[in-house]
């Protein structure tokens, strides 16, 4: 919100009617660069969050598989003992 407020304050403070066409063009170019940087940062943060969420899901699934495998080993071990008798 701080960045948005600064951009809004700047937009209100600048008298675009007194600026030259070249200055307006340069200003728009700089604003495009700022927007691109903000977009890249947003995408980076979203990717980091998605990666963290995917790791949590992976860990939960891995723990569930391990619990299942342990249960299968327990049952099959019991069957082997039962077969020997």
């Amino acid at each position: 919100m701080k960045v948005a407020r600064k951009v809004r304050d700047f937009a209100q403070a600048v008298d675009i009617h007194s600026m030259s066409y070249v200055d307006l063009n340069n200003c728009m170019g700089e604003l495009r660069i700022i927007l691109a940087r903000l977009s890249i940062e947003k995408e980076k943060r979203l990717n980091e969050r998605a990666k963290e969420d995917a790791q949590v899901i992976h860990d939960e699934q891995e723990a569930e598989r391990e619990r299942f495998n342990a249960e299968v080993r327990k049952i099959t071990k019991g069957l082997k003992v039962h077969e020997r008798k």
Side-chain angles (χ1 to χ4, degrees):
M1 295 306 286
K2 291 179 182 179
V3 174
R5 188 177 319 120
K6 287 181 180 184
V7 170
R8 196 177 313 114
D9 291 346
F10 172 75
Q12 290 173 351
V14 173
D15 181 18
I16 60 171
H17 300 291
S18 64
M19 292 176 73
S20 70
Y21 179 76
V22 172
D23 288 338
L24 281 172
N25 252 357
N26 290 339
C27 184
M28 289 180 64
E30 292 296 323
L31 288 173
R32 285 188 189 108
I33 291 171
I34 290 170
L35 288 173
R37 287 180 181 162
L38 290 172
S39 178
I40 290 168
E41 181 62 28
K42 177 184 170 187
E43 191 69 27
K44 179 181 167 187
R45 290 180 187 184
L46 286 173
N47 287 340
E48 288 173 0
R49 187 180 307 157
K51 186 176 179 181
E52 290 169 1
D53 292 346
Q55 185 63 46
V56 168
I57 291 169
H58 171 74
D59 292 345
E60 290 172 354
Q61 289 175 341
E62 189 173 16
E64 183 62 32
R65 279 193 300 274
E66 185 55 40
R67 283 191 293 272
F68 176 77
N69 289 339
E71 188 65 27
V72 168
R73 284 191 297 273
K74 181 179 167 185
I75 292 170
T76 56
K77 183 178 179 183
L79 288 175
K80 289 178 184 177
V81 171
H82 184 64
E83 289 173 357
R84 290 182 189 162
K85 291 182 179 178

